[in-house]
């Protein structure tokens, strides 16, 4: 299957700082990328859907000013957690969907964020 | 909200077939059944999907009942590396539709 990478794989930051997570589709062009969050022993929760070149669509209850999403190219989307707090500590996972004909989503390996 | 019901956990002996059930009694005619799995601390991995016919690939088989209200994912020869959370998801297969994950089934393969 297609490969999606995330960087960094883990990050520790101080409360109040901002953290940027990158999601890249390595061998295909992704017109749509999705960002999920997963707390320990829970399922994945969709945060937002981003389409290349347009604003992201956020799920209910997700603060768009806190979780900034940029999908500037067909192979890169970024999630910035602004003014991070300990309750933002979680496993963040992105997925990407190819634009031409295919509708499968391919998931990245995830990024573990710990806010101290 | 997830539209599927799965048992919270199952055990399987290594080398035996693992049969994971999923109920989706409210599935509509244009919704597919998808299966993903998530090994601990990794992103989900696509396994298989189907509409109404049984499907098989190199990873698994998917058996969908005639009324489409339930399905079973079959791992024919489970290995220890198949220990994971398995998610059954129903969705319309048109571009842009999002995946909604339920609680899934924790499959433990034991030697």
């Amino acid at each position: 299957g297609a490969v999606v990478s995330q960087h960094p794989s883990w990050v520790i930051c101080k409360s109040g700082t901002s953290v940027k997570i990158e999601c890249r589709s390595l061998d295909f062009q992704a017109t749509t990328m999705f960002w999920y969050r997963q707390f320990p022993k829970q399922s994945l929760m969709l945060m937002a859907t981003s389409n290349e070149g347009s604003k992201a669509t956020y799920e209910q209850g997700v603060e768009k000013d806190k979780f900034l999403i940029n999908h500037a190219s067909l192979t890169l989307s970024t999630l910035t957690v602004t003014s991070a707090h300990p309750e933002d500590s979680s496993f963040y996972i992105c997925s990407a969907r190819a634009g031409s004909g295919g509708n499968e989503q391919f998931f990245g390996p995830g990024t573990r964020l710990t806010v101290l | 909200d997830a539209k599927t019901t799965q048992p919270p956990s199952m055990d399987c002996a290594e080398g035996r077939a693992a049969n994971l059930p999923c109920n989706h009694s409210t599935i509509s005619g244009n919704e597919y059944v998808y299966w993903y799995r998530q090994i601990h601390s990794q992103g989900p991995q696509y396994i298989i999907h189907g509409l109404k016919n049984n499907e098989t690939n190199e990873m698994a088989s998917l058996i969908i009942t005639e009324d489409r209200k339930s399905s079973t994912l079959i791992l024919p020869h489970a290995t220890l590396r198949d220990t994971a959370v398995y998610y059954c998801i129903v969705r319309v297969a048109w571009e842009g539709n999002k995946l909604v994950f339920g609680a899934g089934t924790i499959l433990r393969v034991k030697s």
Side-chain angles (χ1 to χ4, degrees):
Chain A
V3 179
V4 176
S5 70
Q6 285 185 238
H7 178 79
S9 56
W10 60 269
V11 57
I12 301 172
C13 70
K14 294 182 179 180
S15 184
T17 61
S18 295
V19 175
K20 180 185 285 187
I21 302 170
E22 293 185 348
C23 176
R24 295 182 183 271
S25 56
L26 298 185
D27 51 1
F28 67 101
Q29 293 186 328
T31 54
T32 305
M33 288 186 170
F34 303 85
W35 286 96
Y36 295 81
R37 180 168 55 181
Q38 186 175 32
F39 293 108
K41 298 188 177 182
Q42 294 186 22
S43 188
L44 285 79
M45 295 296 295
L46 180 66
M47 298 175 66
T49 302
S50 73
N51 292 294
E52 185 266 338
S54 62
K55 290 184 178 180
T57 302
Y58 290 81
E59 294 299 302
Q60 190 173 7
V62 178
E63 299 175 57
K64 63 179 181 180
D65 294 330
K66 180 170 182 63
F67 299 99
L68 302 179
I69 292 173
N70 184 285
H71 192 165
S73 78
L74 287 172
T75 59
L76 173 64
S77 175
T78 60
L79 168 68
T80 301
V81 182
T82 63
S83 186
H85 292 284
E87 57 266 30
D88 298 323
S89 297
S90 188
F91 192 49
Y92 292 86
I93 306 169
C94 73
S95 69
R97 187 185 62 81
S100 54
N103 53 35
E104 287 315 310
Q105 288 186 36
F106 301 97
F107 286 82
T111 296
R112 176 77 58 191
L113 170 63
T114 301
V115 184
L116 303 177
Chain B
D1 293 333
K3 301 178 183 178
T4 62
T5 304
Q6 299 176 250
S9 65
M10 293 182 63
D11 290 340
C12 177
E14 187 179 20
R16 303 297 294 270
N19 298 282
L20 292 93
C22 179
N23 286 322
H24 30 80
S25 58
T26 60
I27 193 170
S28 57
N30 59 351
E31 287 184 313
Y32 285 67
V33 180
Y34 283 78
W35 283 84
Y36 283 78
R37 73 179 183 184
Q38 185 179 25
I39 295 170
H40 182 63
S41 294
Q42 297 182 25
Q45 176 189 25
Y46 165 81
I47 300 174
I48 199 168
H49 76 282
L51 182 63
K52 54 182 179 180
N53 297 323
N54 298 336
E55 302 289 339
T56 295
N57 62 22
E58 64 278 6
M59 289 184 67
S61 295
L62 174 61
I63 308 298
I64 303 174
T65 58
E66 192 169 343
D67 62 7
R68 301 207 325 122
K69 293 185 177 182
S70 66
S71 61
T72 301
L73 178 74
I74 302 173
L75 307 179
H77 305 286
T79 70
L80 297 179
R81 286 179 293 182
D82 292 321
T83 294
V85 181
Y86 287 76
Y87 297 99
C88 170
I89 301 169
V90 296
R91 54 164 275 196
V92 176
W94 49 269
E95 292 193 359
N97 195 273
K98 56 192 179 186
L99 291 171
V100 178
F101 286 81
T105 295
I106 300 173
L107 175 68
R108 300 184 188 91
V109 181
K110 299 183 176 182
S111 58

